[in-house]
């Protein structure tokens, strides 16, 4: 018994070293690294004993969505401590993640946008005998953080947001903003609208919302690349959040976990009360999502035009992209074990602790079944 206890303590010690190494690797590889920029809690509620390591070993390389970076950090901490597997998730953006995945450089990617048909076709070169599939794993609201002195409860609607981010509304005391904020003392202050500099699934979802709700005011085609002229560009969600914090008159879009210590916009949707971003209001919207993927793919369709009370319309889902068949033999066990953990009840609990929204039960149950069948 004493020998077993000694070995157990030694394994836990090695796990702690692995976690330190994994987080150090991640910090070196990302513009969106660490919670000093984002304010994320990065708590992990799962005990080591609740994580099934199976035959997981070695190191996993992954990249993609910065939206889920704070959740990934918390998951990596718990999983690496339990299993001794190093996971280096760079968080360089959804576009970078999909590109790296389809080049065979990483075990899985995170993306706030589902794979496009041409990206699925490209994935077949890497997934021998299979293809890349989208597994919804992280939900959450896209918060609109702002820095306007003296204004603590700002309300905006889709047309006004479109005009702000398209440079059509230039000052905070514009009549369109004043009409939505009766009684507020809006300053004569120039608006600085921050957007992502790199291909971003957060950008894709934000612009999908504008296209769906106010097409007359947002005439761009949408996608991961920012298309409107003007504004300020910053790298990653952390970079946009930092730009808003540091510049008076600024506004930007990023996930709620990056909105610490700043005010966020309440969105007027047509419901009786404008809706603030929260895990609860995002869950209310995601619960109405429909699975539109085929086969093992679980792509969701969100309702950006919702007018339901308490449902926040600016919501995204981050997918983990992995091969359904043809995963590399040396990373398959660790990939399956990690995805099994993050889709588990304990893994999903980590999301609400870090200002994300868990995936609804009916959908996450399908994710678990799909992960179990990866080969």
């Amino acid at each position: 018994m004493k020998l077993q206890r000694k070995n157990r303590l030694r394994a836990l010690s090695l796990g702690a070293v692995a976690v330190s190494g994994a987080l150090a690797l991640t910090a070196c590889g990302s513009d969106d690294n660490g919670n000093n920029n984002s304010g994320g809690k990065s708590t992990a509620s799962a005990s080591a004993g609740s994580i099934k390591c199976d035959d997981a070993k070695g190191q996993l390389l992954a990249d993609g969505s910065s939206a889920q970076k704070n959740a990934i950090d918390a998951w990596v901490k718990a999983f690496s401590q339990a299993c001794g597997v190093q996971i280096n998730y760079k968080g360089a953006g959804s576009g970078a993640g999909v590109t790296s995945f389809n080049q065979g450089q990483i075990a899985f990617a995170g993306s706030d946008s589902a794979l496009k048909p041409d990206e699925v076709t490209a994935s077949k070169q890497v997934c021998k005998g299979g293809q890349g599939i989208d597994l919804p794993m992280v939900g959450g609201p896209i918060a609109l953080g702002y820095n306007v002195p003296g204004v603590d409860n700002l309300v905006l609607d889709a047309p006004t947001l479109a005009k702000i981010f398209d440079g059509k509304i230039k000052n905070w005391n514009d009549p369109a903003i004043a009409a939505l904020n009766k009684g507020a003392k809006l300053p004569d202050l120039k608006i600085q609208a921050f957007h992502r500099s790199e291909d971003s699934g957060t950008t894709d979802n934000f612009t999908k919302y504008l296209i769906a709700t106010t097409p007359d005011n947002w005439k761009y085609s949408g996608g991961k690349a920012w298309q409107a002229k003007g504004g300020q560009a910053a790298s990653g969600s952390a970079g946009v959040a930092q730009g808003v914090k540091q510049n008076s008159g600024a506004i930007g879009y990023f996930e709620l976990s990056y909105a610490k210590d700043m005010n966020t916009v309440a969105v007027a949707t047509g419901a009786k009360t404008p809706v603030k971003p929260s895990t609860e209001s995002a869950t209310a919207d995601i619960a109405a999502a429909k699975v539109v993927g085929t086969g093992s793919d679980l792509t969701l369709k969100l309702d950006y035009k919702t007018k339901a009370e308490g449902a926040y319309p600016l919501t995204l889902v981050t997918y983990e992209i992995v091969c359904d068949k043809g995963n590399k033999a040396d990373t398959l066990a660790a990939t399956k074990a990690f995805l099994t953990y993050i889709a588990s009840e304990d893994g999903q609990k980590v999301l609400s602790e870090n200002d994300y929204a868990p995936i609804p039960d009916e959908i996450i149950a399908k994710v678990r079944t799909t992960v179990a069948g990866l080969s």
Side-chain angles (χ1 to χ4, degrees), residues 43-115:
T43 55
S45 62
S47 64
S50 70
I51 299 174
K52 296 181 180 180
C53 302
D54 294 326
D55 297 321
K57 60 184 177 180
Q59 178 176 325
L60 287 182
L61 299 179
D63 195 4
S65 164
S66 67
Q68 68 170 357
K69 182 67 167 59
N70 292 329
I72 288 284
D73 284 349
W75 281 331
V76 164
K77 182 177 181 181
F79 183 79
S80 296
Q81 184 172 1
C83 302
V85 175
Q86 289 187 347
I87 300 178
N88 177 8
Y89 183 84
K90 292 173 65 176
S94 297
V98 171
T99 297
S100 293
F101 178 78
N102 279 343
Q103 291 176 348
Q105 297 175 356
I106 55 179
F108 69 91
S111 177
D112 309 319
S113 300
L115 291 169

Side-chain angles (χ1 to χ4, degrees), residues 208-226:
K208 279 180 180 176
Y209 162 75
L210 296 176
I211 292 167
T213 53
T214 184
D216 290 344
N217 294 299
W218 194 261
K219 298 185 179 296
Y220 303 98
S221 61
K224 294 176 184 175
W226 185 257

